[in-house]
Amino acid sequence: MNHFEIYKNMDDGVQAIYRSRLLTEILLSLNEGSRKLSQLREITESTSQAIIPKLRKLEADHLIETKEHEYFLTSAGKIVASGIADSFVTFWTINKFKHFWLRHYLEEIPSPLLKEIGCLYESEVFRDKGTKVLNVYNNQFVKAGLLFLTLAGINFLIC
C-alpha cells in the first residue's frame, strides 16, 4: 500500500489533526510535557469551551490522558505528536531555504537523508558574494614571481 492509499484509508481522526489548529497546537504543546487546562488555554489562546471538546476527541483517540488535572500524551500520542512536529519542521525548513531547494539537483540525495531535512531548520545557507577569496594568495604569489591561476574553479600554480 502506498502513502496515498494509507491516507485515503485513514479514519477522519488523523486527518482532523492537520485540519484543526487547536488539535495540532494541543498535541505539539503536550509533546513538550504535561499541561493543565489553564496552560493549554494560554498557549493556544483559546477558551475552555473550545479546548475541552478537542481534548475529549484526543482522549477518545487514545492520544492523550488526564491525571490529576493534567493532560499528557499516551505512548501512541507521543509518536503522533513527534511525527506532526517533524512534518512542521520539515515544511518550515523547506520554506526557509526555498531558493536553495529550487536551484539544486536533489534526486541523488538518499531517501533516508531527505527524511531528515527538518534537522536543518537552524542552519544557514551561505551565498557566493562574488568575493575572490584566493586573491590574497594571488598577490603573494605575484610578489614571489609565481603565477596562480583559477580556471573553471580549478586552481593552478605555475612556476
Side-chain angles (χ1 to χ4, degrees):
M1 193 178 306
N2 66 31
H3 292 106
F4 186 70
E5 290 170 343
I6 292 170
Y7 171 79
K8 288 192 74 141
N9 288 326
M10 293 300 304
D11 64 358
D12 189 49
V14 174
Q15 295 173 7
I17 291 171
Y18 281 96
R19 287 192 309 259
S20 170
R21 175 191 65 86
L22 269 178
L23 287 174
T24 302
E25 288 180 358
I26 290 168
L27 286 170
L28 291 175
S29 174
L30 293 177
N31 197 37
E32 297 174 3
S34 64
R35 306 270 193 234
K36 295 184 179 205
L37 179 60
S38 60
Q39 293 172 307
L40 290 172
R41 278 196 318 257
E42 183 179 323
I43 291 167
T44 62
E45 299 177 351
S46 298
T47 64
S48 294
Q49 292 81 6
I51 293 175
I52 290 174
K54 303 298 183 183
L55 291 171
R56 298 295 170 252
K57 179 186 181 352
L58 292 171
E59 285 177 322
D61 291 340
H62 305 288
L63 298 177
I64 68 168
E65 292 179 347
T66 183
K67 184 190 269 186
E68 299 177 13
H69 305 290
E70 284 202 348
Y71 295 92
F72 60 94
L73 295 172
T74 62
S75 296
K78 288 177 185 176
I79 294 168
V80 170
S82 178
I84 292 168
D86 289 347
S87 70
F88 281 111
V89 169
T90 298
F91 283 122
W92 188 84
T93 302
I94 296 295
N95 192 45
K96 178 180 177 184
F97 302 121
K98 195 177 292 184
H99 66 277
F100 177 83
W101 303 117
L102 293 174
R103 293 185 180 136
H104 288 81
Y105 183 73
L106 304 176
E107 285 74 14
E108 295 301 320
I109 296 176
S111 182
L113 292 179
L114 283 177
K115 291 178 182 177
E116 300 297 325
I117 292 292
C119 293
L120 299 173
Y121 74 99
E122 289 184 0
S123 62
E124 292 181 45
V125 174
F126 293 95
R127 297 182 189 174
D128 180 15
K129 300 210 188 281
T131 305
K132 303 210 185 272
V133 294
L134 298 176
N135 275 349
V136 172
Y137 298 111
N138 286 344
N139 293 337
Q140 296 302 319
F141 288 130
V142 168
K143 288 179 185 174
L146 302 171
L147 181 59
F148 190 73
L149 297 175
T150 301
L151 299 173
I154 303 171
N155 300 316
F156 297 93
L157 178 60
I158 301 172
C159 300

